[in-house]
Amino acid sequence: MSASKEHFGPSGRTHWRDASRAFRCPVCGHDSWCQIGSGARAGTVLCKRVESARERTNREGVPYWVHACDPSAVPPSVSEVVSKSALSIATDEVRDQAYRAILDALGLSPAHRELLRARGLSEREIEQGQYCTLEVRGRAALARRAADAVGKFAVAGVPGIVWEARTERGWWTLKGAAGLVIPSRNVRGQIVALKVRSESPEGSRYTSVSSRSAGGPASACNVHFPRQTSARFASKRVLWITEGELKADAAAALSDWAIVGLPGVSMWRGAVALAHELGARRVVVALDADWKTKPEVQTARTDLVRALERSGLSVHAVDWPIALG
């Protein structure tokens, strides 16, 4: 028989989606060969494995069978879901699963390992911290691991995971600068954001992995909890606040403080809410010594101290010579 006009007609071609890993055939469940109707063709499936009473043959002489399905039973494609509206950020649980799947697939370069050791982190702390090196290549494979871990639709809400649709099939990929990956944890120890320390001389040194440029969710601007902080805080109820995830990790490794790290000096409000949520007895503000030369850091430091004091907390701001870092 001749090829189906529904399949190959010039006006109808765009109404068919090829089966893929992200959009399997609802009849046979495979991720290749078959095609699924959309738009005016919604509910029609051209399956090349499961027979029906309506048999057709394509241009290459390969037979396929036309199936009528309930349109509501056919899941939307990833492209349809992503393009409907701006996606909301995934839950902490979903982000944690997706990011751990990515980090498990990455290694740590010798240069980045030495950088962490120079900060005062031991080999054990480096391994437990799950620091990794993110390269420019291999992003699609990393995104597929995340999608396999949490689901092809749920992963769309994970900052940094975006859907590229340059072809009919499309694919997931991972955004973000290349460099040292620093996991950002919440109070429960879940990895809810990724910060990258770039080696590039251009742009910001530290950036968050985000989907904002692709119309997806921005990174969660959470206060970072080093792994040791929860146990230490429980015993003393004294909370130290510094700037930066890596700096907080290093300070925690070199002291017995219960310390947290702001994702940026302007994001201090989250630390005020956190201190109250935890029931802190005293708060120590230890932002960078460059507050003396950088007005934006000085403003953030002053506002943070005042906000903590106004909320009834005992506050102490520490300082040190700027030559010490």
Side-chain angles (χ1 to χ4, degrees):
M1 297 178 64
S2 60
S4 168
K5 290 184 179 180
E6 287 185 336
H7 188 186
F8 293 103
S11 63
R13 179 64 178 173
T14 57
H15 291 298
W16 299 103
R17 298 192 298 260
D18 292 334
S20 65
R21 284 173 56 90
F23 189 66
R24 295 177 178 272
C25 173
V27 176
C28 69
H30 284 75
D31 60 3
S32 62
W33 284 28
C34 306
Q35 292 189 303
I36 301 95
S38 63
R41 310 295 186 185
T44 301
V45 178
L46 309 180
C47 183
K48 294 183 179 179
R49 296 178 179 86
V50 179
E51 298 183 7
S52 74
R54 299 170 64 189
E55 182 177 353
R56 300 288 188 272
T57 303
N58 65 15
R59 289 175 177 174
E60 289 74 34
V62 178
Y64 64 90
W65 292 269
V66 181
H67 295 262
C69 301
D70 180 357
S72 63
V74 179
S77 68
V78 175
S79 296
E80 289 175 334
V81 172
V82 172
S83 64
K84 279 184 178 179
S85 61
L87 295 164
S88 59
I89 192 168
T91 63
D92 289 358
E93 290 73 17
V94 170
R95 279 178 280 150
D96 180 59
Q97 293 177 44
Y99 288 144
R100 287 183 187 274
I102 291 172
L103 297 178
D104 287 345
L106 293 173
L108 183 65
S109 72
H112 286 156
R113 186 176 297 276
E114 286 303 313
L115 184 151
L116 294 170
R117 292 181 64 182
R119 292 284 185 122
L121 298 173
S122 67
E123 286 296 327
R124 181 181 180 184
E125 288 163 340
I126 291 173
E127 295 304 319
Q128 291 179 337
Q130 294 178 273
Y131 306 100
C132 296
T133 298
L134 181 62
E135 304 286 355
V136 174
R137 297 182 178 181
R139 301 298 185 90
L142 295 172
R144 283 198 301 271
R145 289 180 64 95
D148 289 342
V150 302
K152 64 181 180 182
F153 295 132
V155 78
V158 177
I161 307 294
V162 301
W163 181 254
E164 294 283 0
R166 300 175 193 172
T167 68
E168 289 183 0
R169 290 181 179 271
W171 65 92
W172 291 112
T173 191
L174 175 66
K175 295 291 187 180
L180 172 64
V181 179
I182 306 158
S184 178
R185 293 175 167 83
N186 62 16
V187 67
R188 296 182 297 279
Q190 295 168 313
I191 299 175
V192 293
L194 299 179
K195 184 68 71 68
V196 178
R197 184 183 190 277
S198 174
E199 303 301 324
S200 174
E202 300 179 0
S204 301
R205 172 59 62 88
Y206 291 93
T207 57
S208 297
V209 173
S210 169
S211 303
R212 175 176 287 180
S213 63
S219 176
C221 296
N222 66 291
V223 178
H224 169 57
F225 255 72
R227 294 177 305 97
Q228 309 94 321
T229 291
S230 293
R232 292 174 179 177
F233 180 80
S235 63
K236 300 180 180 179
R237 309 197 73 77
V238 177
L239 188 68
W240 286 65
I241 301 174
T242 190
E243 176 192 353
E245 295 83 357
L246 183 54
K247 189 170 298 177
D249 284 348
L254 295 170
S255 71
D256 60 353
W257 305 336
I259 190 164
V260 297
L262 303 178
V265 290
S266 63
M267 302 174 190
W268 53 264
R269 292 175 180 81
V272 178
L274 182 63
H276 276 284
E277 179 184 340
L278 295 174
R281 179 174 57 83
R282 186 162 65 96
V283 179
V284 180
V285 176
L287 300 189
D288 290 358
D290 63 1
W291 67 267
K292 301 171 184 176
T293 59
K294 293 183 178 180
E296 66 275 16
V297 181
Q298 181 177 16
T299 298
R301 183 176 186 266
T302 301
D303 290 345
L304 172 58
V305 170
R306 288 177 177 173
L308 289 167
E309 291 175 336
R310 284 197 300 266
S311 64
L313 292 170
S314 173
V315 186
H316 178 65
V318 298
D319 194 17
W320 56 90
I322 195 170
L324 298 179

